[in-house]
Amino acid sequence: MTFARDQGEFFDLILELADFTATSITIHQARSGVPVADTLADLDGMQKEFVNA
């Protein structure tokens, strides 16, 4: 299976995406003043809308 061969790289990608997301949210807060909790709540809502679409 392709996933079994690339499992380590897949998990590395997930960690890189999580780090990028955290950095982006922090920069967004610094530039706009929007609290991190508000941004996370907005993202949670968007994710739920996407899954239910």
Side-chain angles (χ1 to χ4, degrees), residues 9-19:
E9 290 179 19
F10 174 76
F11 290 132
D12 288 343
L13 174 63
I14 295 299
L15 292 174
E16 288 178 27
L17 289 171
D19 184 53

Side-chain angles (χ1 to χ4, degrees), residues 2 9 14 18 32 39:
T2 301
E9 290 179 19
I14 295 299
S32 68
T39 301

Side-chain angles (χ1 to χ4, degrees), residues 14-27:
I14 295 299
L15 292 174
E16 288 178 27
L17 289 171
D19 184 53
F20 175 78
T21 301
T23 301
S24 297
I25 291 171
T26 302
I27 291 170

